[in-house]
Amino acid sequence: MSRVDPSKIDEATGETRRPARRTTPGIVVVCTIVVLLTVLAWRMVPHPVGAARTYGKYEGKAVTTAKSALSTVETVRLAARTASAGNAFGPYTALVISDAEEGLSGLQGTFDSIQPPDARADALAQDLDTLLSDALEHVRGVRVAARRGSLAELATVAEPLTDDASKLDAFDARHP
């Protein structure tokens, strides 16, 4: 049997005393500060999807989306050329292209969630959505070929992306 330290026995009740657990006020203060700073940082960072109250703001979001999509398309083209030349491993190439496809799909979904403010913006949205859909379809084709191990043919499969890149670049040039 274990012995209890006599100094830990309450003389009035005969029960063993346990040291009281205290909540350190410093921990509560630190946690509160961290939560407040997180909320403050979240509020100060511009949200990519917000409202577009004017055509100019909407056009700016469209151009930003087109530039990001162009970057993604060029990434897939580069990965396809590199793999076709035998300078990239299949699993790596498939992963790069799959990530690019996911990113492009996310760009399209984010842009589509912004409500166009007027009829002119509706036409702009339709134009960009067509470009994004075409590019996404072609990136999917490259991803499928990469996952099937057709690395030598990837550059050929990715050829339609050249046209997609040109159209996205022209969209950007038309909308300053």
Side-chain angles (χ1 to χ4, degrees), residues 1-6 8-9 16:
M1 258 195 180
S2 67
R3 300 183 81 186
V4 177
D5 183 3
K8 293 187 179 180
I9 296 177
T16 306

Side-chain angles (χ1 to χ4, degrees), residues 5 11 19 23 29 33 42 56 59-60 71 73 78 81 88-89 91 101 104 112 121 125 128 131 134 137 164:
D5 183 3
E11 293 178 12
T23 304
V29 170
I33 290 172
W42 178 75
E59 184 179 39
S71 176
V73 165
L78 177 62
R81 283 193 314 267
F89 293 110
E101 178 187 11
L104 188 56
D112 286 347
L128 181 57
L131 296 176
D134 290 347
E137 179 182 332
D164 295 332

Side-chain angles (χ1 to χ4, degrees), residues 3-140:
R3 300 183 81 186
V4 177
D5 183 3
S7 67
K8 293 187 179 180
I9 296 177
D10 187 344
E11 293 178 12
T13 62
E15 295 179 4
T16 306
R17 286 184 276 173
R18 293 185 185 163
R21 288 189 175 181
R22 295 182 303 195
T23 304
T24 307
I27 292 174
V28 174
V29 170
V30 169
C31 288
T32 303
I33 290 172
V34 167
V35 168
L36 289 175
L37 287 175
T38 302
V39 170
L40 181 64
W42 178 75
R43 295 293 297 157
M44 291 181 79
V45 174
H47 200 280
V49 179
R53 298 178 191 262
T54 66
Y55 177 80
K57 292 282 185 185
Y58 191 79
E59 184 179 39
K61 291 176 186 260
V63 167
T64 300
T65 301
K67 286 179 180 180
S68 296
L70 176 59
S71 176
T72 302
V73 165
E74 292 294 0
T75 298
V76 173
R77 290 180 64 215
L78 177 62
R81 283 193 314 267
T82 303
S84 288
N87 295 323
F89 293 110
Y92 172 77
T93 302
L95 180 64
V96 167
I97 295 169
S98 181
D99 285 349
E101 178 187 11
E102 189 176 311
L104 188 56
S105 179
L107 281 170
Q108 186 174 26
T110 298
F111 183 72
D112 286 347
S113 71
I114 304 168
Q115 181 174 339
D118 55 28
R120 209 168 84 181
D122 287 338
L124 180 71
Q126 183 66 35
D127 187 24
L128 181 57
D129 195 52
T130 300
L131 296 176
L132 295 174
S133 293
D134 290 347
L136 187 58
E137 179 182 332
H138 298 139
V139 168
R140 281 187 181 133

